[in-house]
Amino acid sequence: MGMTHKIALAAALGLSVATLAGCSVANHQESVGEYVDGSVVTTRVKASIADDLGAGPAANINVKTIQGGIVQLSGFAKTQKEKDRAGQVASSVHGVKEVHNNIVVAP
């Protein structure tokens, strides 16, 4: 990515140019690119779960994407089938390499 693209990305994200020089977004864990990629994957997973399970059940499921396309699901599902389906849907999303399904079944 060229410097012009990095500056445009920084402006869009409200970040400083110094952050793009190799510093991480939070606690020196992820680069800006990894953070943005993770946010895109998280959004895709949330949307896919909402499309598949419906907005109600999806509202109880939290999604976090960390480095390398690892997605962590947490929150609550009403049935084991709903929990399993959320994991299946998440694993089918482009950019997801691994899913940790920590959803708790709580009827």
Side-chain angles (χ1 to χ4, degrees):
M1 177 185 303
M3 184 53 85
T4 303
H5 289 105
K6 288 181 180 181
I7 292 170
L9 178 62
L13 295 174
L15 302 172
S16 69
V17 176
T19 301
L20 294 171
C23 297
S24 68
V25 174
N27 298 326
H28 302 286
Q29 294 176 356
E30 295 177 310
S31 70
V32 173
E34 289 168 334
Y35 178 79
V36 171
D37 291 345
S39 296
V40 169
V41 171
T42 295
T43 301
R44 287 179 182 160
V45 170
K46 285 181 179 183
S48 294
I49 289 173
D51 285 345
D52 192 271
L53 297 178
N60 296 320
I61 297 173
N62 302 307
V63 180
K64 178 169 175 58
T65 304
I66 57 175
Q67 292 175 327
I70 299 171
V71 171
Q72 179 180 2
L73 302 178
S74 61
F76 298 94
K78 291 184 179 180
T79 65
Q80 184 66 43
K81 182 178 178 181
E82 188 176 280
K83 172 185 175 173
D84 294 343
R85 184 64 188 152
Q88 292 168 349
V89 169
S91 66
S92 71
V93 171
H94 177 72
V96 174
K97 301 210 178 359
E98 186 177 331
V99 175
H100 296 215
N101 191 341
N102 298 321
I103 297 171
V104 174
V105 176

